[in-house]
Amino acid sequence: MDALNDILRSFRGEYNKTPVKIQVLDCFLVYAVFTGLVQVAHLLLVGSFPFNSFLAGFLSCVAFCVLTVCLRMQVDPSNADFKGMSPERAFADYVLCNGLLHLVIWNFMG
Amino acid sequence: MLNTAADRVALASRRILVAEPSTAESTKKLQRSAAANVVCGFSLAGICLLAFSLRLFSVIKYESVIHEFDPYFNYRVTQFLTKEGFYNLWNWFDDRTWYPLGRVIGGTVYPGLIWTAGIMWNVLHFFNIPIHVQEVCVFTAPLFSAFCALTTYFLAKEVRNQGAGLFAALFAASVPSYISRSVAGSYDNEGVAIFALVLVFFLYVKTINTGSLAWATANALSYFYMVASWGGYSFIINLLPIHCLACIFLGRMNSRLYVAYAPFIILGTIEAASIPVVGFNAVLMSEHFGSFLAFGVLHAAMGMQYIKHILPAKTYNAAKALALSAGVAFMAVVAVLMVGYVMASPTFGWTGRSLSLLDPTYASKYIPIIASVSEHQPPAWNSYFTDVHILVLLAPLGLIACFRPMTDASLFLILYGVTAVYFSGVMVRLMLVLAPATCCLGGIAADQILNTFCKSIRPEEGSGGWVGLIKTWMDGEESAAQSDSVSVDSRPSSSTSSAPSGKRQKSGKNKYKEAATKEAEASPFNAFNLFGGTKDKLPRDVGIIGALFFFGMLVFYVFHCCWVSAEMYSAPSIVLQSRSPQGGVHVFDDFREAYGWLRHNTDEEAKVASWWDYGYQTTAMANRSVIVDNNTWNNTHIATVGRAMASPEHQAWQIYRDLDVKYVLVVFGGFVGYPSDDINKFLWMVRIGGGVFPDIKEPDYLGERGYTIDDKAGKAMLDCIMYKMSYYRFAEAAQMATGRYGFDRVRNTNIGVTDISLKYFEEVYTTEHWMVRIFEVKDQPSRDVQADTSKKAKKTLKRVSPSGKNRTPPVW
């Protein structure tokens, strides 16, 4: 228990050093995860019909999380894997991918 | 990465702008790269032209006609699309097949190919170019094979460099196993699906190399096209997780892998679920569970990496211990759930076709229909050589070359090659998936081989030549000793302690070993040097001879591909040819003759029963309802037809009357020697029928000497309707043609029963060479049974043997 508190405190301390832009992205992430969990709760409580709507909604939350994590990694200046990529380019790609994602979701939702 | 010529050009131009010295050299380099790019462009254009024209042999030899069986179904659906439109195709319920069940076309067809041809036809008609939809269908596959060659160029270029790309494109344009499924007229899913497969792989590798979400979006779109085109998409959705897991466990994981893999999986799953034929299988079937598993593992690994990055070391260790224990508990719960779900289904959640790939003996034990299709058999050894020729030699070399140096992209190619080789060994049809892998690997190997030879030919740097070689050998020991003493001076901790003189010292074993290794490294015939080291050049003469030899091999390869394409893979199999003794060509057009007769001489609503091989062609060309066709989705219905064919006349008549059948069609080859006829497939009918109806037993149909049709045949065989319909009036006709009463030219024996009379069926049409025979099912049995003795004039004909695709293999 003590160790857990230690870890959490140290994590919070380190996390406050990340830039504000990244923390805003992380808020988006938390929001999307929460929406996904609400949908799963609905599935468990009420049932799975219509299944394609549940899949569309849940997978859109998951995909949005994934894409936001990708954007976060590309925008983070301490990440060395994306040498030549400017944040504007990363954001434009992000918008494009989200456009495709929502088109596919809209088609599948029924 | 300075992999592409474009990058080199950009770098060089940047150097010029910053006004660095030695501009002459960099301009020369710039000019050389520009010239290289122009040559590359022209070569690619030539390769695309080669790919297209290699596939046109059947159009030249026969006519522009659709081949085989499955393409006729695709052609019929495309006709429907162009006439009725997109939404009507989605909602189409076909009542002219699988009578009386019907088939939901919208939900059971892979629409990618149909959409492609429909869009091309619409574009052409928008510009008022009135090309008939059949021509569009015939030429779709060659066009997309040209695109596939282009995409293979890009894939190999991403993995290695431009030279490898060009070689890979050349190989892909002409590799015979791809030609076999994409000739002009073979309007089948694989024609566009292989293009989509290579495109998905190229875009995946590009995303890994660049880390950009834009390429990931393109990757997801191309995957949508792949899922829409072919059931083989499950190869992709299992190969990419294997690559992801391999990267993680080999320590090659980085954020670019995440950008390439994670969005693709989620977007891909939703896209796959959007295609009705896949539907909810995208999340419920075991084929996709691998991708979800890798998704989870990737997230766990990335999470650990992030925490490691953010926390100081001590806290990280504690966090790691905690996370690991929590993770193990969670995985255990998930594993129990999944195992429970998977065990509940009799096939562990896999579809029958996928299971037959993983366990090659599964189909022959449980699903005789899958086992009976000839293209589902394992390939013979020589088919590897016929289908990929010198790539059999070059691909393993390319596999080794991918290890030195190993990047994420070359690791992917290694995994692709190995898995494709395994699956091609299970089913001959999957040689097609192996083809692009061997082309890319072979391209990499060819590029390095030619690179080494060309470097040796170039007269500039390097100590090439025979003189240099001998000098290296003679001076080897001395120079080794000299360099040793030099290194002793610079590294006082070295194990040797000789005085710094030029003579050879014999102190210590280490010195000899060092000298030996240096000599080995210096030798140009060291295998490692040949494959990547450019420390020493080969002698110039060896380089020239080697390059000539290599080009000779390539010439043989292209020759072989042209020959195979012209002779083996260009037969439409709906039209057959044979050579008469005088050298002329005789054409057998019996199939279209029979379908034409049915179309013009029978009632619109008449139902035709035949073995499932001919269903698609009958609905497409004769435009009549059929009982069973090549889709083979309902085993019991096929077993009913099989049982009817294997029963005596009265029972068969009963079964056909119950199914509302008016006409029965059999294919008979004994008159001209056509070996893929129904008598040769008959044992499969018995096996499939016997699988569902236990009163049909295979041993009843076997005679004293096994499966024969002479007088020693089994009693049930001589009684069954298939025998009677095939040999009705045959004895006299054979007498006229070959002079032997009742001699069957395929089985090479006389038939057992020659005076056949039919009470419940009436022969209504037999084609010119007796290859298709159509019988009418009578309402009432005839009272006065008499054998018909009309005669026809015959010519002496040689045996023909077409290639078999999606039809039962002859048992003979």
Side-chain angles (χ1 to χ4, degrees):
Chain A
M1 210 57 235
D2 234 359
L4 191 61
N5 276 337
D6 227 1
I7 293 171
L8 285 178
R9 214 177 324 124
S10 135
F11 181 77
R12 192 173 302 168
E14 293 295 325
Y15 183 69
N16 282 332
K17 296 193 193 136
T18 55
V20 179
K21 275 198 293 191
I22 310 278
Q23 294 192 4
V24 168
L25 281 180
D26 287 341
C27 286
F28 259 123
L29 226 45
V30 170
Y31 161 71
V33 168
F34 176 69
T35 315
L37 287 177
V38 164
Q39 292 185 354
V40 171
H42 179 268
L43 173 86
L44 293 172
L45 289 175
V46 182
S48 72
F49 184 80
F51 192 55
N52 60 320
S53 307
F54 163 72
L55 266 188
F58 179 66
L59 287 179
S60 82
C61 290
V62 177
F64 185 75
C65 286
V66 166
L67 291 179
T68 313
V69 168
C70 291
L71 177 67
R72 185 189 197 280
M73 287 191 303
Q74 287 171 343
V75 161
D76 196 354
S78 62
N79 202 326
D81 285 328
F82 299 99
K83 263 251 164 67
M85 189 169 285
S86 63
E88 288 78 22
R89 165 77 195 266
F91 185 69
D93 290 347
Y94 176 71
V95 167
L96 178 70
C97 208
N98 265 321
L100 174 68
L101 167 71
H102 287 95
L103 184 67
V104 176
I105 294 290
W106 190 24
N107 172 53
F108 189 55
M109 213 154 44
Chain B
M1 293 281 116
L2 292 180
N3 270 341
T4 62
D7 278 341
R8 271 186 249 120
V9 170
L11 193 60
S13 56
R14 244 179 279 145
R15 283 217 186 99
I16 292 176
L17 286 176
V18 178
E20 268 195 17
S22 77
T23 48
E25 207 180 287
S26 40
T27 340
K28 208 163 150 209
K29 273 202 179 126
L30 196 65
Q31 280 176 341
R32 212 186 279 170
S33 335
N37 278 340
V38 168
V39 169
C40 181
F42 273 113
S43 321
L44 275 179
I47 287 173
C48 289
L49 210 57
L50 172 75
F52 188 83
S53 41
L54 258 187
R55 288 156 168 83
L56 296 181
F57 279 107
S58 68
V59 173
I60 298 171
K61 282 165 73 168
Y62 300 85
E63 57 180 285
S64 158
V65 73
I66 303 225
H67 298 188
E68 298 287 322
F69 301 102
D70 282 352
Y72 272 100
F73 172 70
N74 295 325
Y75 172 53
R76 185 161 159 257
V77 180
T78 316
Q79 275 181 316
F80 187 89
L81 173 66
T82 52
K83 278 200 208 106
E84 308 283 338
F86 180 75
Y87 282 108
N88 286 334
L89 175 71
W90 231 209
N91 299 322
W92 185 22
F93 178 80
D94 188 16
D95 55 349
R96 294 189 79 81
T97 177
W98 292 94
Y99 186 83
L101 305 166
R103 177 183 174 180
V104 180
I105 298 280
T108 56
V109 76
Y110 279 101
L113 174 73
I114 318 280
W115 289 343
T116 311
I119 289 176
M120 288 201 293
W121 183 87
N122 274 316
V123 163
L124 286 171
H125 276 254
F126 177 75
F127 289 112
N128 284 325
I129 305 175
I131 296 191
H132 190 263
V133 66
Q134 183 180 351
E135 312 306 325
V136 174
C137 292
V138 164
F139 290 101
T140 300
L143 183 67
F144 274 81
S145 69
F147 294 155
C148 182
L150 260 183
T151 325
T152 316
Y153 162 74
F154 284 117
L155 174 61
K157 189 169 105 145
E158 269 311 302
V159 176
R160 205 32 83 92
N161 57 22
Q162 213 173 24
L166 278 176
F167 269 117
L170 173 69
F171 291 143
S174 40
V175 67
S177 82
Y178 184 34
I179 292 183
S180 71
R181 301 294 297 205
S182 67
V183 284
S186 172
Y187 181 56
D188 209 353
N189 290 343
E190 288 90 349
V192 295
I194 298 298
F195 160 67
L197 181 93
V198 182
L199 187 65
V200 170
F201 287 156
F202 158 61
L203 289 171
Y204 178 69
V205 168
K206 187 81 179 176
T207 316
I208 286 194
N209 281 346
T210 58
S212 148
L213 263 184
W215 287 110
T217 316
N219 191 17
L221 274 173
S222 66
Y223 179 68
F224 175 67
Y225 184 50
M226 177 71 198
V227 174
S229 302
W230 196 34
Y233 76 90
S234 51
F235 179 67
I236 299 184
I237 202 71
N238 283 304
L239 178 62
L240 260 53
I242 293 178
H243 175 246
C244 178
L245 290 174
C247 280
I248 294 176
F249 289 123
L250 287 176
R252 306 190 68 94
M253 178 183 75
N254 54 25
S255 316
R256 291 199 304 271
L257 177 71
Y258 185 84
V259 172
Y261 183 76
F264 170 79
I265 288 297
I266 299 294
L267 274 171
T269 307
I270 311 175
E271 286 164 349
S274 305
I275 309 273
V277 71
V278 178
F280 295 148
N281 286 348
V283 289
L284 294 179
M285 279 278 149
S286 293
E287 276 132 7
H288 296 85
F289 287 171
S291 59
F292 300 145
L293 175 73
F295 187 69
V297 171
L298 180 66
H299 273 92
M302 292 292 287
M304 296 299 292
Q305 202 182 54
Y306 173 67
I307 293 183
K308 186 174 186 176
H309 174 69
I310 243 199
L311 288 180
K314 210 176 52 172
T315 355
Y316 168 66
N317 286 334
K320 189 162 90 163
L322 199 67
L324 271 178
S325 46
V328 161
F330 179 67
M331 283 305 294
V333 168
V334 164
V336 162
L337 282 175
M338 215 157 85
V339 163
Y341 171 75
V342 152
M343 285 294 180
S345 92
T347 57
F348 304 135
W350 296 87
T351 57
R353 292 224 162 131
S354 307
L355 206 52
S356 65
L357 281 179
L358 295 173
D359 174 15
T361 58
Y362 177 79
S364 47
K365 277 188 280 186
Y366 299 107
I367 318 178
I369 282 221
I370 295 182
S372 76
V373 179
S374 66
E375 59 189 6
H376 290 180
Q377 312 299 320
W381 280 112
N382 59 354
S383 66
Y384 275 96
F385 186 73
T386 316
D387 273 350
V388 292
H389 205 245
I390 57 166
L391 297 175
V392 166
L393 301 173
L394 288 178
L397 295 179
L399 206 61
I400 298 177
C402 276
F403 280 101
R404 317 176 67 239
M406 174 133 92
T407 62
D408 292 343
S410 66
L411 174 65
F412 174 75
L413 207 54
I414 292 169
L415 289 171
Y416 176 29
V418 170
T419 45
V421 165
Y422 169 72
F423 283 120
S424 73
V426 175
M427 246 192 219
V428 73
R429 186 179 183 187
L430 295 178
M431 290 280 295
L432 186 61
V433 171
L434 178 64
T438 46
C439 289
C440 289
L441 291 171
I444 291 176
D447 171 67
Q448 279 204 286
I449 290 176
L450 209 58
N451 224 0
T452 313
F453 286 143
C454 288
K455 275 206 169 73
S456 318
I457 296 177
R458 216 178 273 166
E460 313 153 26
E461 350 90 57
S463 54
W466 288 107
V467 179
L469 176 64
I470 298 173
K471 221 167 168 266
T472 323
W473 272 345
M474 274 175 29
D475 298 339
E477 295 161 352
E478 258 190 59
S479 59
Q482 273 180 359
S483 54
D484 244 351
S485 47
V486 166
S487 65
V488 162
D489 284 343
S490 54
R491 287 178 294 144
S493 60
S494 152
S495 54
T496 57
S497 54
S498 59
S501 71
K503 297 202 194 95
R504 265 176 52 200
Q505 302 289 324
K506 286 192 186 164
S507 49
K509 273 192 179 166
N510 289 344
K511 198 145 181 218
Y512 265 103
K513 264 199 193 143
E514 257 182 315
T517 44
K518 277 216 171 73
E519 202 176 286
E521 276 178 6
S523 155
F525 298 110
N526 183 3
F528 278 8
N529 268 349
L530 274 178
F531 269 118
T534 49
K535 283 185 273 215
D536 283 318
K537 308 290 179 302
L538 298 170
R540 191 141 178 253
D541 316 8
V542 174
I544 294 179
I545 294 176
L548 281 177
F549 180 70
F550 187 69
F551 280 119
M553 269 204 334
L554 288 181
V555 165
F556 275 125
Y557 172 70
V558 177
F559 258 34
H560 170 85
C561 295
C562 291
W563 176 83
V564 162
S565 172
E567 295 301 318
M568 283 177 55
Y569 291 141
S570 291
S573 94
I574 192 163
V575 180
L576 307 163
Q577 266 186 4
S578 79
R579 300 216 160 263
S580 67
Q582 291 79 21
V585 167
H586 189 83
V587 173
F588 298 78
D589 213 355
D590 286 41
F591 287 101
R592 292 197 289 181
E593 185 188 338
Y595 299 133
W597 184 89
L598 271 178
R599 189 190 194 104
H600 294 293
N601 292 297
T602 58
D603 183 44
E604 273 276 335
E605 296 300 318
K607 322 281 181 273
V608 178
S610 67
W611 191 234
W612 59 261
D613 288 10
Y614 316 107
Y616 281 158
Q617 285 182 345
T618 313
T619 20
M621 280 193 273
N623 198 23
R624 295 287 173 269
S625 307
V626 290
I627 305 294
V628 288
D629 68 13
N630 308 57
N631 192 30
T632 65
W633 65 271
N634 190 331
N635 196 34
T636 313
H637 220 48
I638 297 181
T640 312
V641 173
R643 179 182 182 215
M645 295 293 194
S647 309
E649 209 182 330
H650 180 75
Q651 277 91 315
W653 180 75
Q654 205 61 46
I655 297 175
Y656 283 139
R657 291 279 294 172
D658 286 339
L659 285 171
D660 288 345
V661 171
K662 191 92 194 302
Y663 295 98
V664 179
L665 187 150
V666 292
V667 170
F668 172 63
F671 191 80
V672 292
Y674 173 63
S676 295
D677 66 351
D678 280 356
I679 291 282
N680 272 355
K681 296 177 195 167
F682 183 61
L683 267 190
W684 283 114
M685 297 188 203
V686 169
R687 282 171 195 154
I688 294 173
V692 177
F693 301 102
D695 51 334
I696 307 279
K697 296 188 259 300
E698 190 180 336
D700 292 345
Y701 296 86
L702 303 175
E704 290 173 10
R705 281 190 245 115
Y707 179 61
T708 53
I709 43 91
D710 52 14
D711 45 0
K712 301 238 177 17
K715 173 123 193 351
M717 180 74 207
L718 295 175
D719 270 341
C720 72
I721 191 70
M722 173 59 70
Y723 184 92
K724 289 191 170 170
M725 283 197 287
S726 294
Y727 294 116
Y728 182 65
R729 285 192 312 110
F730 174 66
E732 298 86 10
Q735 169 94 32
M736 294 292 299
T738 60
R740 291 165 71 171
Y741 192 68
F743 181 70
D744 182 338
R745 293 178 71 159
V746 176
R747 268 62 61 175
N748 274 324
T749 54
N750 281 11
I751 59 179
V753 174
T754 49
D755 54 342
I756 297 173
S757 57
L758 290 171
K759 201 161 131 189
Y760 296 89
F761 295 86
E762 182 185 347
E763 181 192 8
V764 286
Y765 192 71
T766 297
T767 55
E768 182 188 347
H769 304 104
W770 284 59
M771 276 167 59
V772 184
R773 310 195 66 181
I774 304 178
F775 291 82
E776 184 178 342
V777 178
K778 296 164 97 152
D779 298 333
Q780 301 286 337
S782 65
R783 291 210 212 131
D784 200 10
V785 177
Q786 55 193 341
D788 199 351
T789 53
S790 67
K791 296 183 174 100
K792 286 178 174 184
K794 311 287 176 276
K795 285 188 239 184
T796 322
L797 299 151
K798 288 226 181 79
R799 189 172 297 205
V800 296
S801 50
S803 60
K805 308 213 171 101
N806 194 19
R807 50 160 88 177
T808 14
V811 176
W812 224 256

